Amino acid sequence: MAAISGDWEAALKPEFGKPYYRELYQKIREEYRTHTVYPPAGEIFTAFHLTPLHEVKVVILGQDPYHEPGQAEGLSFSVKKGIELPPSLVNIYQELHDDLGVPIPNHGSLRSWAEQGVLLLNTLLTVRAHAAFSHRGIGWEEFTDAAIRALDKEARPIVFILWGRPAQAKKALIHAPERLVIESPHPSPLSAYRGFFGSRPFSRANAFLVEHGETPIDWEIQ
C-alpha cells in the first residue's frame, strides 16, 4: 500500500501501530498477491492524498470500491476519464442535475471535487474483483472510523454526506458543533428510488457552507 502523507499521516499515525492495522496490512498484501483486488495498490489512499485533512469541507462517504475492471481509483464513486460511467455515478449525476441544474458530465472523474475539499471516502478501501463487500471485517472499518474521528476534531464547518447503511453507521462518530449530516439511501439502482433521488445533497451542503462563512463547492464538472 502507498503511504499516507501530510496532515492525514499525522492524524492517522496512531492507527499504524495498532494490532488491527498490522493484521490489515498483512491481509491486504496477501490479497493483492493471490487475487485481483481494486483499486490498484498505489491508489488505495488517493482520497487522502488529494484532499488534505485541513482542507476538507465536505465528506461523501460510500460503501466499498467499484469491483469491476478499470473502475476503482481510490475515490468513492469516481472513475478515470474514458471509463464507462457505473450505474451509481449515473444516478449521482442525475441528482446533481436535478438539484443544481448543472449539465451532466461526459466522464466520471470527480477529482475536481476532491481538489476543492470534498473527501471522497468509502467505509472499506479495497475489494476483490467481482465481489462487493469482500473486504468487510478485515480492519478497514476501524481505519475509516479513525478518519471520521480525526475530521470531527477539526474546528470548522464540515458536511458529512452518508450514502447507504455502512456509511450511515459512521454517524455515531460525528459529535462536534458546526456539522451537517445528510443521510440517504445509496445511489445504486437497487436503492436510489428509495430516497436518494430528491435528497438534494449538493445544494444543502453549499447552503450550510455559505451560512457558516465558507466558500461553497463548485459541483459542476467540466
Side-chain angles (χ1 to χ4, degrees):
M1 293 188 286
I4 293 180
S5 58
D7 55 2
W8 275 114
E9 180 185 14
L12 296 173
K13 188 175 181 179
E15 303 304 304
F16 302 148
K18 293 180 179 179
Y20 89 83
Y21 190 85
R22 292 196 296 268
E23 293 175 8
L24 169 64
Y25 181 81
Q26 294 302 324
K27 175 67 173 177
I28 291 300
R29 287 190 62 183
E30 180 67 9
E31 283 286 294
Y32 275 94
R33 189 181 69 83
T34 58
H35 297 83
T36 299
V37 176
Y38 301 125
E43 298 179 358
I44 292 173
F45 295 130
T46 298
F48 299 105
H49 296 155
L50 290 184
T51 314
L53 175 59
H54 71 279
E55 294 181 5
V56 176
K57 295 180 178 180
V58 178
V59 180
I60 294 182
L61 189 61
Q63 298 179 172
D64 63 342
Y66 295 126
H67 51 78
E68 296 303 322
Q71 294 181 326
E73 61 165 345
L75 301 171
S76 62
F77 302 104
S78 181
V79 295
K80 290 182 172 69
K81 292 181 178 180
I83 300 297
E84 182 178 356
L85 300 186
S88 292
L89 187 53
V90 170
N91 288 340
I92 289 169
Y93 281 172
Q94 185 61 56
E95 178 62 20
L96 176 65
H97 174 73
D98 293 347
D99 187 4
L100 297 178
V102 301
I104 294 177
N106 61 4
H107 65 82
S109 175
L110 304 181
R111 286 179 174 245
S112 66
W113 292 359
E115 291 165 353
Q116 294 180 73
V118 180
L119 182 67
L120 297 166
L121 190 65
N122 281 309
T123 62
L124 312 177
L125 301 189
T126 56
V127 67
R128 280 189 191 178
H130 319 302
F133 285 116
S134 49
H135 284 174
R136 178 168 38 192
I138 65 172
W140 282 129
E141 293 92 343
E142 289 91 337
F143 186 75
T144 53
D145 279 357
I148 298 299
R149 291 192 186 98
L151 285 161
D152 202 44
K153 293 177 181 177
E154 295 290 294
R156 65 178 186 281
I158 298 178
V159 180
F160 290 85
I161 299 175
L162 311 179
W163 286 339
R165 289 183 181 178
Q168 290 164 17
K170 304 287 194 190
K171 183 179 180 180
L173 305 174
I174 303 168
H175 305 290
E178 294 189 319
R179 300 289 184 258
L180 174 64
V181 178
I182 300 173
E183 300 176 81
S184 80
H186 193 275
S188 80
L190 297 175
S191 56
Y193 288 94
R194 300 174 187 166
F196 172 77
F197 288 128
S199 61
R200 303 181 66 85
F202 309 102
S203 61
R204 291 165 65 189
N206 274 358
F208 177 85
L209 292 172
V210 170
E211 179 184 346
H212 288 82
E214 296 288 337
T215 304
I217 303 299
D218 179 3
W219 294 106
E220 184 172 351
I221 295 172
Q222 302 297 330

